[in-house]
């Protein structure tokens, strides 16, 4: 049994960012291993049944699941890429080795370069009984419903009126589930108007300036007490209201999944615009650890087209550093960066631009949030 | 409850299999995770918290949070949301931490 596997490039996470990174490097003849925790590639895309927004001409308007299928097929046709599924990267060690639990077996991988594309995890929200079965992250509801065809419940309260909350509400309605209300703490709806009006047209109320005070139920959710908030997001006593439901769905944001990056001693900085702690990196997505790149939601919560472009940039750069040079690298990298810039231009990209301005520069490296661990 | 008709998705379910949960026989489809199969059978409580024994169920369904730990074939701390169900598996609610096995 081979315990230690050597490769040119290790890609951790097989979502859109990881998949495009692997493809880009493999097309330059680099030998690539992708480790993916789940039993298939695709990441978040495998659950997205709606047509995608985003400005990259060829992918916008395509359903997420179809983008995932296309990329997966391309990867299967590349002999340079080896895919390990049900393979979770567990740790990064000082001798630059990544340990992986692969279908319940222990493996070590040594790679010349590593691209970390682990995506994000959902944020939790504080309220009484928030651990009761029946309180789910929006992603869990999508997994149950869109991957396994299992209804999460009969009556759902959606918390969060950003794009994810609105899209998942719509997907619930499509599957025949009653959405009792969408609750949003902010005084405005955060998601795109198209999504909000789709929900409103079906008669589902969207309560802005509201939050959940507690979940009600013994062994699982029977309802929730919702409450009005003042302009400082403080609960206004006396405005409690009970809504009967068997499911509370939290769509209150995502946080980059960065534990491996912290372990690998990549300098980190807290950037609320990007969802939390993110690694400092240069414009090729290289972190402060020379072996490691980052791409996609792990670098900051954004969307799939940005994740794919970042993956491509990182994949290309990693392959060149390993020694797989090709004439078009400079031109191709420039094109990708231009596309990314275009994508982030305009008013919708403002928050991302502000966030990104905080992840570069030497000052930040000195301020590494985790330097006390060293 | 399993969805049979969906406006966009087709569910090509695998072979029917059965497994054990608390002495009960549960029907599942090959390719489903343990948590999904239990869920479809109407079981929402997967474990109890170690200290206060509060009921816990699925939360993230992608292996991030540890809210779905169960005892599977005697092994504790199995993330049932990313572990596929297999014919004849014995699945139990987890109510304590368990021991290291060799
Ligand atoms: C409801 C919803 C709707 C959305 N709609 C849109 C849209 O319309 N348009 C758009 O552009 N974007 C949309 N997005 C966002 C988009 O899906 C994400 O931005 C994108 O998937 C990020 O890609 P990624 O590759 O960085 O991460 P992910 O897709 O999250 O993939 C990360 C992968 O890494 C794996 N992984 C994590 N940790 C490990 C580990 N330790 N070892 C091995 N594998 C690991 C995970 O299993 C996962 O497969 C939506 C997201 C959601 C949730
Ligand atoms: S439900 Fe979160 S790890 Fe399984």
């Amino acid at each position: 049994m081979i315990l230690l596997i050597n490769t040119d490039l290790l890609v951790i996470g097989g979502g859109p960012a990881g998949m495009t990174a692997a493809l880009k490097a493999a097309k330059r003849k680099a030998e690539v291993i992708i480790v993916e925790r789940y039993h298939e590639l695709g990441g978040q895309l495998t659950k997205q049944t709606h047509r995608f927004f985003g400005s990259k001409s060829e992918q916008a308007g395509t359903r997420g699941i179809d983008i995932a299928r296309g990329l997966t097929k391309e990867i299967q046709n590349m002999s340079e890429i080896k895919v390990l599924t049900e393979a979770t990267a567990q740790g990064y060690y000082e001798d630059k080795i990544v340990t992986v639990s692969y279908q319940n077996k222990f493996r070590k991988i040594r790679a010349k370069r590593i691209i970390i594309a682990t995506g994000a995890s959902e944020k939790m929200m504080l309220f009484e009984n928030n651990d009761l079965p029946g309180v789910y992250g929006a992603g869990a509801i999508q997994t149950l419903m869109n991957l396994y065809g299992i209804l999460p419940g009969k009556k759902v309260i959606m918390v969060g009126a950003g794009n994810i909350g609105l899209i998942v509400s719509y997907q619930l309605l499509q599957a025949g589930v009653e959405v009792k209300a969408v609750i949003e703490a902010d005084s405005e709806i955060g998601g795109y108007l198209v999504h909000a009006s789709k929900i409103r047209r079906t008669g589902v109320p969207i309560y802005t300036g509201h939050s959940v005070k507690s979940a009600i139920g013994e062994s699982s959710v029977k309802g929730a007490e919702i409450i009005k908030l003042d302009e400082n997001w403080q609960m206004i006593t006396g405005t409690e209201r009970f809504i009967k439901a068997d499911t509370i769905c939290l769509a209150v944001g995502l946080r980059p999944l960065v534990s491996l990056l912290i372990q690998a001693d990549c300098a980190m900085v807290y950037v609320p615009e990007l969802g939390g702690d993110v690694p400092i990196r240069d414009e090729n997505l290289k972190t402060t650890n020379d072996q490691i790149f980052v791409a996609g939601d792990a670098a900051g919560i954004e969307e799939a087209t940005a994740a794919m472009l970042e993956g491509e940039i990182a994949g290309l750069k990693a392959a060149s550093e390993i020694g797989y040079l090709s004439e078009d690298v400079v031109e191709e990298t420039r094109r990708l960066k231009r596309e990314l810039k275009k994508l982030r231009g305009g008013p919708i990209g403002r928050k991302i631009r502000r966030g990104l301005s905080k992840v570069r520069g030497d000052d930040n490296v000195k301020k590494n949030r985790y330097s006390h661990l060293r | 409850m399993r969805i049979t008709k969906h406006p966009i998705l087709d569910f090509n379910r695998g072979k029917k299999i059965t497994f054990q949960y608390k002495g009960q026989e549960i029907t599942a489809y090959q390719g489903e995770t343990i948590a999904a199969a239990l869920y479809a059978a109407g079981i929402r409580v997967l474990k109890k918290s170690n200290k206060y024994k509060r009921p816990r169920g699925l939360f993230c369904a992608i292996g991030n949070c540890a809210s779905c730990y169960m005892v599977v074939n005697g092994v504790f701390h199995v993330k049932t949301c990313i572990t596929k169900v297999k014919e004849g598996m014995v699945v139990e609610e987890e109510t304590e931490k368990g021991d290291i096995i060799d």
Side-chain angles (χ1 to χ4, degrees):
Chain A
M1 186 178 58
I2 309 160
L3 210 62
L4 178 68
I5 309 167
N6 282 293
T7 186
D8 284 331
L9 176 65
L10 169 65
V11 175
I12 304 178
M19 289 196 287
T20 52
L23 279 168
K24 217 52 180 182
K27 281 184 186 148
R28 302 276 172 317
K29 299 287 167 226
E31 195 183 291
V32 184
I33 292 179
I34 305 178
V35 295
E36 165 54 50
R37 183 172 61 188
Y38 204 58
H39 47 73
E40 60 179 6
L41 295 174
Q44 283 297 323
L45 294 184
T46 54
K47 307 172 221 172
Q48 308 311 337
T49 49
H50 61 285
R51 291 178 200 286
F52 262 43
F53 48 83
S55 67
K56 197 181 177 191
S57 42
E58 48 297 12
Q59 299 285 23
T62 313
R63 294 187 200 281
I65 36 175
D66 296 329
I67 302 176
R69 280 189 200 128
L71 289 171
T72 306
K73 197 174 274 164
E74 243 188 282
I75 286 174
Q76 282 163 346
N77 289 333
M78 301 283 302
S79 58
E80 291 83 0
I81 307 180
K82 192 172 167 193
V83 180
L84 306 183
T85 52
E86 291 176 74
T88 307
Q90 304 278 23
Y92 176 90
Y93 289 81
E94 279 153 347
D95 52 2
K96 298 184 178 299
I97 282 178
V98 172
T99 56
V100 176
S101 99
Y102 169 47
Q103 301 183 351
N104 279 332
K105 295 177 294 272
F106 180 75
R107 291 287 181 274
K108 295 196 275 190
I109 301 180
R110 186 196 286 135
K112 292 179 183 134
R113 289 290 181 275
I114 299 172
I115 297 177
I116 297 186
T118 43
S121 70
E122 271 166 313
K123 286 186 183 164
M124 191 48 180
M125 193 180 135
L126 217 56
F127 57 86
E128 204 181 311
N129 283 335
N130 66 0
D131 60 342
L132 208 58
V135 179
Y136 307 119
I141 298 233
Q142 286 196 307
T143 305
L144 274 179
M145 201 164 58
N146 299 347
L147 286 182
Y148 298 105
I150 293 167
L151 291 179
K154 294 197 176 90
K155 295 177 166 51
V156 178
I157 298 171
M158 178 65 63
V159 187
N163 278 322
I164 295 186
L166 297 174
I167 290 169
V168 175
S169 294
Y170 192 69
Q171 293 179 352
L172 281 160
L173 293 166
Q174 268 182 333
V177 177
E178 188 183 347
V179 179
K180 301 282 293 196
V182 180
I183 312 291
E184 168 60 54
D186 209 352
S187 54
E188 278 167 46
I189 293 168
Y192 296 165
L193 206 64
V194 270
H195 295 311
S197 18
K198 243 172 154 180
I199 301 298
R200 279 226 169 96
R201 272 201 298 276
T202 62
V204 175
I206 303 179
Y207 297 123
T208 53
H210 277 76
S211 190
V212 176
K213 189 180 173 197
S214 65
I216 314 281
E218 288 295 320
S219 65
S220 73
V221 171
K222 296 274 178 286
E225 210 178 5
I226 67 160
I227 189 164
K228 252 191 197 153
L229 302 179
D230 66 19
E231 61 275 18
N232 300 315
W233 289 30
Q234 297 303 309
M235 295 182 182
I236 306 173
T237 322
T239 62
E240 294 87 347
R241 189 153 29 125
F242 177 75
I243 299 183
K244 199 172 158 200
D246 56 11
T247 304
I248 298 172
C249 177
L250 303 182
V252 292
L254 297 163
R255 173 182 297 122
L257 207 56
V258 292
S259 38
L260 286 167
L261 290 152
I262 295 170
Q263 240 185 29
D265 223 5
C266 301
M268 306 293 291
V269 56
Y270 179 73
V271 183
E273 291 90 341
L274 299 178
D277 281 327
V278 291
I280 288 161
R281 68 277 190 168
D282 64 18
E283 53 167 12
N284 294 313
L285 284 309
K286 168 74 78 75
T287 67
T288 56
N289 178 329
D290 194 47
Q291 188 194 9
I292 298 181
F293 292 81
V294 66
D297 279 356
I301 306 302
E302 219 175 324
E303 36 87 58
T305 27
M308 290 192 271
L309 287 167
E310 284 192 344
E312 290 186 272
I313 294 170
L316 204 55
K317 182 70 178 168
S320 331
E321 286 188 0
I322 299 166
Y324 298 95
L325 294 160
S326 56
E327 278 168 18
D328 62 339
V329 168
V330 177
E331 188 39 50
E332 179 65 358
T333 311
R334 244 187 239 141
R335 182 187 69 81
L336 292 167
K337 285 180 188 165
R338 257 199 318 270
E339 288 232 20
L340 200 51
K341 200 167 170 195
K342 203 164 79 193
L343 185 72
R344 289 167 175 160
I348 292 169
R350 193 176 296 134
K351 194 167 133 201
I352 296 293
R353 291 200 298 276
R354 198 175 343 117
L356 287 173
S357 70
K358 300 180 185 172
V359 298
R360 303 218 172 95
D362 300 335
D363 286 355
N364 272 330
V365 177
K366 282 186 216 115
K367 282 192 301 211
N368 181 10
R369 295 244 301 159
Y370 293 89
S371 50
H372 62 283
L373 296 177
R374 250 170 282 159
Chain B
M1 215 177 18
R2 289 191 172 83
I3 303 171
T4 46
K5 238 177 54 210
H6 192 282
I8 294 167
L9 298 167
D10 282 324
F11 300 106
N12 300 314
R13 296 199 164 93
K15 210 176 94 204
K16 252 192 195 172
I17 54 175
T18 56
F19 69 104
Q20 301 289 322
Y21 167 75
K22 281 188 174 172
Q24 217 179 312
E25 193 155 276
I26 311 260
T27 306
Y29 292 92
Q30 216 154 31
E32 287 179 344
T33 58
I34 299 170
L38 286 173
Y39 210 90
I43 292 149
R44 285 188 144 198
V45 180
L46 304 179
K47 63 169 267 185
K48 298 271 166 62
S49 67
N50 287 327
K51 200 165 168 186
Y52 298 109
K53 311 292 174 206
R54 289 171 67 85
R56 293 281 160 81
L58 213 60
F59 179 71
C60 72
I62 52 168
N64 277 344
C65 76
S67 184
C68 65
Y69 278 170
M70 296 183 87
V71 185
V72 177
N73 293 336
V75 179
F76 280 74
H77 279 21
V78 175
K79 285 185 177 175
T80 53
C81 71
I82 51 168
T83 308
K84 281 193 196 168
V85 65
K86 292 208 180 83
E87 176 72 48
M89 251 180 182
V90 180
V91 178
E92 293 155 86
E93 202 173 275
E94 181 169 305
T95 54
E96 51 179 333
K97 284 190 192 120
D99 270 326
I100 292 175
I101 47 167
D102 48 28

